Amino acid sequence: MNYTKIEELLIHFIKKQAGDKNLILGLSGGIDSALVAHLCKKAVGEKLFALLIPTKHSKKENLNDALMLCKDLQIHHKIIYIDEILYAYEKICQDLNPLRFGNLAARVRMSLLYDYSALHQALVVGTSNKSELMLGYGTIYGDLACAFNPLATLYKSEVFELAKLMGVHENFIQKAPSADLWPNQSDESELGYKYEVLDEVLKALENNQSLEKFDEKLKNLVLKRVQDNAFKRRLPTTPKDTI
């Protein structure tokens, strides 16, 4: 792939979507949001704002990396700890398991992003890549909510390549992918496979190619996730869709 051309196209896309508005995104300390920050900074310059929204469970290195990125790119930013908000949910929601807690955290973060988007007359920029979107690895009305999403056509393995080309700091590239929703959480431990392995199946699926060469367990996992989470990729059903 011509990643130099992809960079140019994505910067143009962001400029077009932004128009005369500011942009805001959540910086997690992961590679996806770091790459989007680089692209947005090149596209809109000083009109970019970031929220860093950790919890007590968030890794310190992720916050430090996000702060480093803001300093290096000169991005206006604010840190908001959301533990008190989540504690209020914990008091009224019984038996919160890690998945429910993670979804709540993702939706609280998105609520804050949209609140600050109103404050700064800004559009919320998404940071989910194509692999996550196809697998449904995200929280509906949480991290999947945005005005537009620059990485939606890039698989996770391609995100890494573009990040290297654009000079994203090595800390983000070497770090194990994680939504950082609870202690020691990682994407690949939850999914059971590395993204480069999952991406091969997703690419074959997208291109209507045979999946016979793939391990049965891997193939079935991907097919099930893509099917079960298809609702996350669609707009809500309305009466005109059924009448």
Side-chain angles (χ1 to χ4, degrees), residues 10-11 17 42 46 49 55 58 69 91 124 143-145 161-162 167 172 193 228 233-234 236 242:
L10 290 180
I11 291 171
Q17 297 304 311
K42 284 196 171 187
E46 290 295 309
F49 188 86
T55 72
S58 301
L69 181 67
K91 287 197 298 184
V124 175
D143 53 309
L144 297 181
E161 295 303 316
L162 181 57
F172 298 99
Y193 295 91
D228 288 353
R233 301 186 296 274
R234 296 193 295 260
T242 56

Side-chain angles (χ1 to χ4, degrees), residues 117-165:
S117 76
L119 178 65
H120 293 280
Q121 292 79 53
L123 297 175
V124 175
V125 187
T127 61
S128 296
N129 58 69
K130 189 173 189 175
S131 304
E132 293 169 338
L133 294 172
M134 289 185 71
L135 293 168
Y137 195 68
T139 300
I140 192 167
Y141 308 122
D143 53 309
L144 297 181
C146 59
F148 65 92
N149 187 358
L151 302 186
T153 58
L154 293 181
Y155 290 102
K156 185 75 171 192
S157 50
E158 295 168 344
V159 166
F160 279 101
E161 295 303 316
L162 181 57
K164 292 173 186 175
L165 173 77

Side-chain angles (χ1 to χ4, degrees), residues 22-160:
N22 298 313
L23 299 180
I24 185 168
L25 79 157
L27 278 180
S28 66
I31 190 169
D32 297 303
S33 60
L35 178 57
V36 173
H38 274 264
L39 290 165
C40 288
K41 184 65 179 182
K42 284 196 171 187
V44 301
E46 290 295 309
K47 296 171 72 175
L48 176 63
F49 188 86
L51 285 186
L52 287 59
I53 320 174
T55 72
K56 61 184 179 183
H57 300 298
S58 301
K59 289 184 179 179
K60 185 70 173 177
E61 66 180 284
N62 287 339
L63 179 58
N64 290 340
D65 288 340
L67 286 169
M68 173 187 66
L69 181 67
C70 289
K71 180 179 179 182
D72 290 346
L73 298 184
Q74 298 183 326
I75 298 173
H76 307 295
H77 63 279
K78 183 179 179 65
I79 303 174
I80 303 176
Y81 282 90
I82 58 173
D83 296 292
E84 288 189 19
I85 301 172
L86 293 176
Y87 177 66
Y89 277 104
E90 286 181 302
K91 287 197 298 184
I92 60 172
C93 296
Q94 297 180 350
D95 303 320
L96 275 180
N97 61 27
L99 177 61
R100 289 175 63 206
F101 182 87
N103 283 334
L104 282 172
R107 291 180 178 126
V108 167
R109 288 177 172 128
M110 194 51 62
S111 293
L112 288 168
L113 281 166
Y114 270 93
D115 178 59
Y116 273 76
S117 76
L119 178 65
H120 293 280
Q121 292 79 53
L123 297 175
V124 175
V125 187
T127 61
S128 296
N129 58 69
K130 189 173 189 175
S131 304
E132 293 169 338
L133 294 172
M134 289 185 71
L135 293 168
Y137 195 68
T139 300
I140 192 167
Y141 308 122
D143 53 309
L144 297 181
C146 59
F148 65 92
N149 187 358
L151 302 186
T153 58
L154 293 181
Y155 290 102
K156 185 75 171 192
S157 50
E158 295 168 344
V159 166
F160 279 101

